[in-house]
Amino acid sequence: MNKALVSLCVLSSITATAAFAEQAVVQQTTVKAALMAEQTDSFQWLEEVEGKKPLAWVTEKNAHSAAAIKSYKGFETLVDNSLAILNSKDRIPYAERKGEYLYNFWKDETHVRGIYRRTSLAEYVKDDPKWETVLDIDAIAKADDVSWVFKGINCHTPDNTLCLVSLSRGGADAVEVREFNLKTKSFIKNGFLLPEAKSDLTWLNQDQVFVATDFGGTEGMTDSGYASVVKLWQRGTALDKASFIYQSDKSSVAAGAQVLDDGESKIVLIGDYHTFYTASHFVYDQGKLTELNIPKDAEIKGYFKGNIYLELKSELTSQKLAQGAVVYAPVASLISAKPEYQLLTAPDAHSAIAQVAFSKSAVYVNYLEDVKSKLLRFEPKADSSWVQTPVAFDANGSLTIFDIEQDRDDFYVDYNSFLEPSSLYEVQGNTLAINKLKSLPQQFDAERFVTEQYFATSKDGTKVPYFVVMDKNLKFNGKNPTLLYGYGGFEISLRPKYSATIGKNWLEQGGVYVLSNIRGGGEYGPAWHQAALKQNRHKAYEDFEAIAEDLISRNITSSQHLGIQGGSNGGLLMGAALTRRPDLYNAVVCQVPLLDMKRFSQLLAGASWMGEYGNPDIAEEWAYIKTYSPYHNLDKSKKYPKAFFTTSTRDDRVHPGHARKMVAKMESMGIDVLYYENMEGGHAGAADNKQAAELSSLVYAYLLQQLK
């Protein structure tokens, strides 16, 4: 299962207690009846995504909000800035190697939906490489008369000729999959073809793929809206003739297949993802399934020299292996009654493991130390020990390994920080020599600004880090327009990142930018995430409030000049912040949010997130969920700042009804609010650069109106 697809953004759980589980069946009917009596949802009609009446409501709100925000005198300058950045020819064309070529997906003012293109390594290192177009999404969209958005390409290795191309209508998660030949640069007649669905295809060999999709009937989807059935599909046969492999319960999040290849051998795993954080994995071999005897909440990181690597989300007491550790064992051990693990590495109290990657000869671990990156190479020795060598990158920014494969030792690293533009490095795996291939030029006046890391003290005494990017000559007078960004969920870490749009449209406009690292995220590993799960969700909100108060106590800003922003799970954070402490902020940007936490599990992919939030149909769990559910905590007697809600009609992950209903309810209470719904874009909010520029400019114009 692709967690990036089903997570709330841009991804091990604490499950309900045994007592809750035993009572759940009895309670569900009574709880639902009680909830109906407690509150009638008079705005539920807005959940009809493409209904005539709801869309008329959307059109009216869009027009009102766009007129109000675009009245900001500098709005068109903000749009021009954003579009120039998004379409800049100076952007780094990040690429991945497939055979003799490097491939890149590129959008600009000419290629609005984008082109998939390739070049040679000799050309790629040049300042202005010559590219060959392989796939033109604009041309396909025009020919099909469909607003296609490119959602990726998955090629059969090692030959990299046959590929599966995913196309989405308007940016939704559901995709149509078509087989494509990279050599002929054409779609394959009578090749593998899947109609629009939330599907997962995995190559077994060039003539067989594992397919998890909506097969219809009893072989349909889970309650979360993802595939419950995995089949093996033979080239040249109809989809309904594919061989059955596995079916999960409807209550599971999804089922899927993955093929692990260490360059010498392959292992096929079938996964049943019971919740977002727990799964059962089975080795598939000649039609037989054998379950791996591994912790249900462990995350499989890869396969290297005959061993499967896991990250432990809970302590493994039988071998005294710490939570967050990366361990490994051969498959034979993992299917035995008592697996024996070896330890690769374990983080300390100030660190977390952000990435584990495998080359031909080594394992690379990308750590976060107080939210700053550090990269180590682990080389295996004959005596089963490891030689650890640091890779020499500056420790004050963020790095990401990419295009690393187990048929070679060289790979790429992207490095950047708040004030240092992204640079693309080639790392020689044998010597760890670093060669900068490309660098993004400065796109705003970064020399004017400085980055500081501070720690706020949360309500329970926990020290919570956050970064502040501000003018070197900032006056600490409490009057600085300040934007505080947050997420705090799904073990996703917010790291220092260069953003020219923030630089041009916020910092250069006199703003201060703050990135919060609250609990619920992954900045300090699984424990940091689990500290804000389910009944402890309020810890994330207390952390966020502590940072806001710390900014005010430092005289960086004041409530009058403090704005906040977050999307998806971060949108839920914004809704909670708005309803918990409306006095603390003067602007709230709430994007593609969850807000109605009574119905979230019944809308689109919502059921998959009950491992994060709990089940609102269980009385004890609804008891804590309703304490922060933004939709249920609006109070017409309170004074709220004028908030700005955004979403997308084509978001098939987080239902647009959340934002629609919240705004409608606020207006019914006489609360002034702004709303904008993009008709395309999916969960990302925008389908092309022009839409992205317009939407981000609406956000910055709103913030500048509210906070200056």
Side-chain angles (χ1 to χ4, degrees), residues 277-582:
Y277 304 111
T278 59
S280 297
H281 295 277
F282 305 86
V283 177
Y284 176 77
D285 186 22
Q286 297 181 343
K288 181 182 177 182
L289 291 172
T290 305
E291 187 170 2
L292 292 178
N293 185 15
I294 63 177
K296 290 288 190 288
D297 64 351
E299 182 178 347
I300 295 175
K301 307 303 288 188
Y303 183 54
F304 179 73
K305 296 190 179 299
N307 292 303
I308 290 179
Y309 284 69
L310 309 171
E311 182 181 353
L312 300 178
K313 302 299 184 179
S314 301
E315 180 184 2
L316 193 62
T317 54
S318 61
Q319 287 191 240
K320 297 181 179 179
L321 292 167
Q323 182 183 40
V326 176
V327 300
Y328 60 95
V331 177
S333 177
L334 295 180
I335 61 175
S336 68
K338 292 185 177 181
E340 291 293 326
Y341 298 97
Q342 300 293 317
L343 175 68
L344 177 71
T345 185
D348 61 22
H350 289 275
S351 64
I353 292 171
Q355 192 177 9
V356 180
F358 304 88
S359 70
K360 183 177 182 179
S361 306
V363 182
Y364 291 84
V365 180
N366 183 5
Y367 297 86
L368 289 183
E369 291 190 341
D370 283 328
V371 206
K372 288 166 280 193
S373 294
K374 183 179 79 172
L375 182 60
L376 260 64
R377 179 185 67 185
F378 289 77
E379 288 182 292
K381 294 176 64 178
D383 63 358
S384 298
S385 64
W386 297 87
V387 176
Q388 299 182 35
T389 310
V391 187
F393 284 97
D394 190 330
N396 292 314
S398 297
L399 63 85
T400 303
I401 305 168
F402 69 98
D403 193 40
I404 184 168
E405 298 291 345
Q406 290 180 257
D407 62 354
R408 60 180 184 266
D409 282 313
D410 300 343
F411 59 95
Y412 294 141
V413 165
D414 177 66
Y415 178 88
N416 70 109
S417 68
F418 288 115
L419 301 175
E420 181 180 350
S422 293
S423 293
L424 172 63
Y425 294 87
E426 183 182 37
V427 180
Q428 301 292 326
N430 294 331
T431 64
L432 296 187
I434 296 172
N435 176 32
K436 183 187 286 189
L437 295 181
K438 297 180 183 295
S439 184
L440 182 71
Q442 280 287 4
Q443 294 176 296
F444 67 96
D445 189 5
E447 288 297 318
R448 289 173 44 191
F449 306 99
V450 65
T451 301
E452 299 288 351
Q453 185 181 40
Y454 298 116
F455 289 79
T457 303
S458 195
K459 187 175 181 179
D460 64 1
T462 301
K463 300 293 184 182
V464 184
Y466 66 96
F467 293 95
V468 179
V469 189
M470 55 190 164
D471 195 293
K472 289 177 179 177
N473 299 313
L474 186 82
K475 293 180 180 179
F476 288 74
N477 57 11
K479 297 181 180 179
N480 301 293
T482 300
L483 175 59
L484 169 58
Y485 187 89
Y487 187 78
F490 294 90
E491 206 177 338
I492 292 173
S493 303
L494 298 185
R495 299 188 286 167
K497 182 181 180 182
Y498 184 83
S499 170
T501 305
I502 292 173
K504 290 293 291 185
N505 285 352
W506 185 246
L507 295 175
E508 286 192 359
Q509 308 301 319
V512 174
Y513 181 74
V514 182
L515 185 72
S516 65
N517 300 119
I518 62 178
R519 282 174 287 183
E523 288 86 349
Y524 291 101
W528 194 250
H529 168 231
Q530 293 170 17
L533 277 178
K534 293 189 173 181
Q535 67 269 26
N536 292 318
R537 197 78 206 163
H538 62 281
K539 299 288 186 182
Y541 307 147
E542 290 170 359
D543 290 357
F544 195 73
E545 290 159 3
I547 292 172
E549 290 169 338
D550 202 54
L551 289 165
I552 293 168
S553 69
R554 292 178 187 275
N555 238 15
I556 291 173
T557 192
S558 60
S559 294
Q560 181 183 352
H561 300 286
L562 177 58
I564 57 176
Q565 181 183 14
S568 196
N569 171 74
L572 172 59
L573 170 65
M574 294 302 104
L578 175 69
T579 51
R580 283 168 58 96
R581 290 290 306 277

Side-chain angles (χ1 to χ4, degrees), residues 6 26 57 74 110 135 142 181 223 248 265 364 366 380 396 419 465 474 496 520-521 523 540 571 652 664:
V6 301
V26 177
W57 181 92
T110 304
L135 195 61
K142 183 177 180 181
N181 188 309
D223 293 337
S248 72
S265 63
Y364 291 84
N366 183 5
N396 292 314
L419 301 175
L474 186 82
E523 288 86 349
D652 57 352

Side-chain angles (χ1 to χ4, degrees), residues 89-95 101-104 106 115 117-133 424 437-438:
K89 298 295 191 293
D90 293 327
R91 284 174 292 146
I92 296 174
Y94 293 102
Y101 293 105
L102 286 95
Y103 289 80
N104 161 260
W106 184 262
I115 54 172
R117 58 186 189 170
R118 66 188 177 195
T119 191
S120 66
L121 180 58
E123 277 291 321
Y124 185 70
V125 298
K126 295 179 181 179
D127 290 337
D128 188 20
K130 294 179 180 178
W131 294 92
E132 175 190 7
T133 297
L424 172 63
L437 295 181
K438 297 180 183 295

Side-chain angles (χ1 to χ4, degrees), residues 10 48 98 113 145 147 178 196 243 283 302 305-306 322 411 619:
V10 87
E48 187 184 357
K98 299 181 190 299
R113 296 292 164 146
D145 194 24
S147 182
R178 306 176 184 179
E196 183 181 49
S243 303
V283 177
K305 296 190 179 299
F411 59 95

Side-chain angles (χ1 to χ4, degrees), residues 124-182:
Y124 185 70
V125 298
K126 295 179 181 179
D127 290 337
D128 188 20
K130 294 179 180 178
W131 294 92
E132 175 190 7
T133 297
V134 174
L135 195 61
D136 187 329
I137 306 302
D138 294 271
I140 298 170
K142 183 177 180 181
D144 295 349
D145 194 24
V146 175
S147 182
W148 290 125
V149 173
F150 181 69
K151 286 285 187 172
I153 185 167
N154 171 17
C155 298
H156 175 257
T157 58
D159 52 288
N160 289 302
T161 298
L162 303 177
C163 303
L164 300 168
V165 173
S166 296
L167 299 171
S168 158
R169 284 189 305 114
D173 284 345
V175 295
E176 180 178 300
V177 182
R178 306 176 184 179
E179 191 175 8
F180 186 80
N181 188 309
L182 273 188

